[in-house]
Amino acid sequence: RRLPDDFVPAGLVNMGHYEATRETANAFSRMQADAAARGLSLRVVSAYRSIASQRQLYNRYLERAPAHVVDTYSARPGFSEHHTGRALDLCGASGSFLDFEKSPEAPWVHQNAYKYGFILRYPKGYEHLTGYSDEPWHRTYVGVEVATDMHERGIVTLEEYTVKHVDYKPVEWV
């Protein structure tokens, strides 16, 4: 769903080099502290992006590949979850989000992120539902209640959860 060009989430807070909603930043701080207590280093390498910054990023990708390819790994301006201030790209000690899946931090995040309200937004094998290539580094804050519900029900994508539990309207048979 497209956001207006002038959309800026309310309550953005500073997370060092990045901004996110207060809820997202607070949840990440708790997750980061718990990871650190286990000797793991979690860092944010991307968070809130304005629509203008997403437009620049998307256009840079278009210089290297056609739109139908770019659309599988980058959101068009106005459609990125980063615009909401609730999406974080993570890395481990290596400092590279591209190496996140191979990091010691990844298994811990995969097993525990829901406890802090984060979901893996673009999982491998679900490209047909999400529309995007897998991004093991990309976490979206949906709140502890929703993330836990998804985890307990074995629902992997936000698309599935939305259809089954948010947009669902029971049919009354006559």
Side-chain angles (χ1 to χ4, degrees):
R1 299 185 185 187
R2 190 177 195 319
L3 293 170
D5 283 347
D6 62 350
F7 178 81
V8 176
L12 288 175
V13 297
N14 189 299
M15 296 180 68
H17 298 292
Y18 304 99
E19 292 179 303
T21 65
R22 181 172 312 284
E23 298 86 0
T24 305
N26 289 343
F28 176 75
S29 291
R30 288 190 300 275
M31 185 167 70
Q32 185 180 43
D34 287 351
R38 288 156 181 81
L40 302 170
S41 174
L42 281 181
R43 296 192 342 225
V44 173
V45 293
S46 184
Y48 167 72
R49 287 186 209 137
S50 68
I51 291 178
S53 65
Q54 184 69 23
R55 184 173 291 113
Q56 290 174 339
L57 180 64
Y58 185 82
N59 287 338
R60 268 188 283 154
Y61 290 142
L62 286 176
E63 292 171 5
R64 294 180 266 181
H68 74 277
V69 173
V70 174
D71 287 344
T72 66
Y73 62 84
S74 181
R76 290 180 182 228
F79 292 91
S80 175
E81 286 192 351
H82 286 282
H83 301 329
T84 68
R86 293 177 170 270
L88 304 176
D89 291 342
L90 304 180
C91 73
S94 76
S96 171
F97 70 94
L98 294 173
D99 293 334
F100 182 69
E101 191 63 11
K102 298 179 208 152
S103 74
E105 290 80 7
W108 186 86
V109 170
H110 290 325
Q111 292 169 5
N112 294 286
Y114 78 92
K115 298 173 186 174
Y116 305 90
F118 291 97
I119 62 168
L120 172 59
R121 188 60 185 92
Y122 304 114
K124 188 173 187 156
Y126 290 85
E127 296 84 351
H128 64 289
L129 294 178
T130 66
Y132 292 99
S133 302
D134 70 302
E135 294 187 358
W137 57 84
H138 185 109
R139 298 291 164 159
T140 298
Y141 180 77
V142 295
V144 173
E145 183 179 338
V146 171
T148 300
D149 190 34
M150 289 177 67
H151 177 78
E152 289 174 353
R153 293 174 187 256
I155 297 173
V156 179
T157 68
L158 192 56
E159 286 76 11
E160 292 172 287
Y161 187 79
T162 301
V163 168
K164 292 177 181 176
H165 300 286
V166 178
D167 290 341
Y168 176 73
K169 298 192 179 30
V171 174
E172 291 187 28
W173 298 98
V174 179

